[in-house]
């Protein structure tokens, strides 16, 4: 939408910057505002998604202690078993 408004504003003279208060200048201002609004909406959407799917850790939940992995199970003895 912003590109459309900018292209309309520069339709007759693409290299000049319109004077304040003229319709082309108002179109450029509207294009700028629409980009600002879309930027704010994008930030709000991203914040909502992060809050839903990637919440910050709470202080009520204890943090898992970092430790070494468990020791491997003991292997059975090699060789013949003693007989009676």
């Amino acid at each position: 939408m912003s590109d459309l408004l900018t292209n309309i504003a520069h339709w007759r003279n693409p290299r000049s910057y319109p004077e304040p208060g003229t319709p082309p200048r108002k179109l450029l201002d509207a294009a700028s505002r629409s980009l600002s609004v879309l930027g704010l909406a994008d930030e709000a959407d991203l914040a909502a998604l992060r809050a839903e799917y990637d919440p910050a850790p709470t202080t009520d939940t204890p943090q898992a202690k970092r430790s070494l992995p468990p020791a491997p199970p003991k292997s059975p003895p090699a060789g013949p078993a003693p007989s009676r």
Side-chain angles (χ1 to χ4, degrees):
M1 184 67 180
S2 175
D3 288 340
L4 175 67
L5 293 174
T6 302
N7 288 337
I8 292 170
H10 288 297
W11 178 52
R12 291 200 176 172
N13 196 354
R15 293 197 173 104
S16 71
Y17 195 73
E19 294 294 320
T22 61
R25 178 64 181 262
K26 290 178 182 179
L27 286 170
L28 288 176
D29 291 342
S32 176
R33 280 189 231 111
S34 69
L35 283 177
S36 297
V37 168
L38 290 174
L40 290 173
D42 184 50
E43 288 176 14
D45 185 42
L46 186 59
L49 287 172
R50 283 191 176 146
E52 180 68 26
Y53 295 106
D54 190 22
T58 60
T59 56
D60 299 339
T61 309
Q63 295 291 331
K65 293 182 182 179
R66 292 188 177 208
S67 62
L68 296 175
K74 293 186 179 184
S75 59
S83 59
R84 289 191 180 200

